[in-house]
Amino acid sequence: MKEKIIKILTELRPEFDFTQEGVDFIEEGMLDSFDLVTLVSELDNTFGISIDGVDILPENFSSVDAIAALLVKNGAK
Amino acid sequence: MDFVFKHKRISGILTILPQKAVKFEDEMANYNFSPAKCMKLKIAMGYNEHRIAAEGQTSADFCEHGLRYLVDNNLLNPNEVDALLFVSQSPDYFLPPTSNLLHGKFGMRQDCLCMDINQGCAGFELGLIQACMLLDQPAIKKVVLLNADVLSPKVSPQDRNSKPLVGDAAAITVIDQCQEDNPIYANIKMDGTGALVLNIPAGGFRMPSTAETAVMEEDAAGNFRSKDNLVMQGDEVFNFVQREVPPMIEHLYEQSGVDRNEVDWYMFHQPNKFMLNKLADKLGVPRDKMPANIVENFGNASGVTVPTCISYNLGDQLCNNTMQLCMAGFGVGLTWSSIMMKVGQLMFNRIIEY
């Protein structure tokens, strides 16, 4: 799952390294609110789920682990 | 707050759109984004083209054109109108009310009530609720509800938060008393603590427009706008909608006793395709029962999107059939409202251009 997430993130913002540990993607400006819209659409399609709208909050996209936890919560396997 | 009304029906809907259509691609260069990112945004949000009023055209002009069309086609007799409601955020003047101006242009009776209501995205629902409250009075048998907004002049061309989605339009809905029960279930909620989430800071009495308020400033996301422009805190609006609208619709099912499977169409306000699809998924509604094609084709004209959605997607079908509609509006105020009612056998349900 994490590899797929990193691949999607890298395609979205190729200028950043999303494999770094301890980096907050939001605080560092690696993802903005419009990236989140595109990212959610990609994640929905890739994992065959629909991420709940109330979960589309910046803190749930701050790291690969946070995104993975969000996907699991929304039914991704 | 919940409402139930009986012996009232919608007898016609007319949507009036500007002739001028502007493509998303034609405005992309104004946004502080790469072309590739703009195209991703276009797909995710469902942006394609939006209708923009010609310079000098106001909300009242679109209403006047639509009313003239109805009168000329014998679909409305101005002498039979007992109340004229104008729901808009873009009146011609601070005073007089725009509804009074239109009343004068059509020579309506002196005992016709005119009322302007300042409301945006939930303006169709609030207008319908107000119309039904008026129709509870024996003296009022026919209400003409005008929803109209021409806000494009207030949106910065360099604001990718708002510019690609805003459209101009008007809609005329005629609501009558009727013999049949025809129950209409409605609810509405407000949260004024979020009132400035959608806002035009300057131009009113609090902050009159000056040379200073016209200065363009860059925000943290790279958008440029002045205090005379519409500002929308998109994240806040999105979160508010996802938090409040699903429980409102669940409540409407309970309130009305209408099962979700009995609803033929979900006609919701249209901020963008992404937001609507998320709402449909959350509510367990098939996406094709909640059309999300108004922003894509015409833009978001605040309270006009719901009647536009009905006219565009159902058209003459609603002149020959009756359908169970679940309607919802949410946004400016903050305000959120929904209505469950049967609509059909309309005298007219169409779109014209001006």
Side-chain angles (χ1 to χ4, degrees), chain A residues 5-6 9 13 15-31 58-67:
Chain A
I5 294 170
I6 291 169
L9 287 167
R13 297 299 297 266
E15 66 271 40
F16 296 119
D17 177 7
F18 288 96
T19 61
Q20 301 174 79
E21 296 285 336
V23 173
D24 187 313
F25 301 157
I26 305 297
E27 282 185 10
E28 294 300 320
M30 296 162 74
L31 296 174
E59 56 264 35
N60 289 332
F61 299 89
S62 60
S63 67
V64 172
D65 286 342
I67 296 171

Side-chain angles (χ1 to χ4, degrees), chain B residues 221-237:
Chain B
N223 294 296
F224 288 84
R225 66 176 82 83
S226 78
K227 290 187 171 58
D228 293 327
N229 293 140
L230 172 76
V231 56
M232 174 176 62
Q233 296 173 34
D235 300 359
E236 295 287 334
V237 174

Side-chain angles (χ1 to χ4, degrees), chain B residues 95-114:
Chain B
L95 59 101
T98 304
S99 52
N100 285 65
L101 288 170
L102 292 164
H103 176 277
K105 285 180 186 289
F106 287 87
M108 293 180 183
R109 303 188 330 263
Q110 289 188 352
D111 58 353
C112 167
L113 182 152
C114 291

Side-chain angles (χ1 to χ4, degrees), chain B residues 133-177:
Chain B
M133 289 195 290
L134 289 167
L135 286 163
D136 275 340
Q137 295 301 311
I140 298 183
K141 294 183 170 54
K142 184 184 289 294
V143 177
V144 171
L145 169 62
L146 309 171
N147 288 95
D149 260 313
V150 175
L151 285 173
S152 63
K154 290 289 185 184
V155 182
S156 163
Q158 294 172 285
D159 183 352
R160 61 175 184 270
N161 271 12
S162 304
K163 187 65 179 177
L165 66 91
V166 168
D168 302 319
I172 300 171
T173 307
V174 180
I175 308 111
D176 295 297
Q177 286 188 2

Side-chain angles (χ1 to χ4, degrees), chain A residues 11-13 32-38 40-41 44 49-54 56-58, chain B residues 33 37 40-41 44-45 47 160-161 221 223 235 238-239 242-243 274 277-278 281-282 287:
Chain A
E11 283 174 3
L12 185 63
R13 297 299 297 266
D32 62 28
S33 57
F34 285 103
D35 291 325
L36 296 191
V37 171
T38 310
V40 167
S41 300
D44 281 356
I49 58 170
S50 177
I51 294 169
D52 192 323
V54 295
I56 304 175
L57 301 168
Chain B
F33 254 2
K37 203 163 174 181
K40 282 184 178 171
L41 185 67
M45 301 296 242
Y47 298 149
R160 61 175 184 270
N161 271 12
N223 294 296
D235 300 359
F238 180 85
N239 292 334
Q242 299 300 324
R243 185 177 66 245
F274 178 78
N277 285 345
K278 282 294 165 197
D281 293 348
K282 176 77 172 180
R287 289 183 180 184

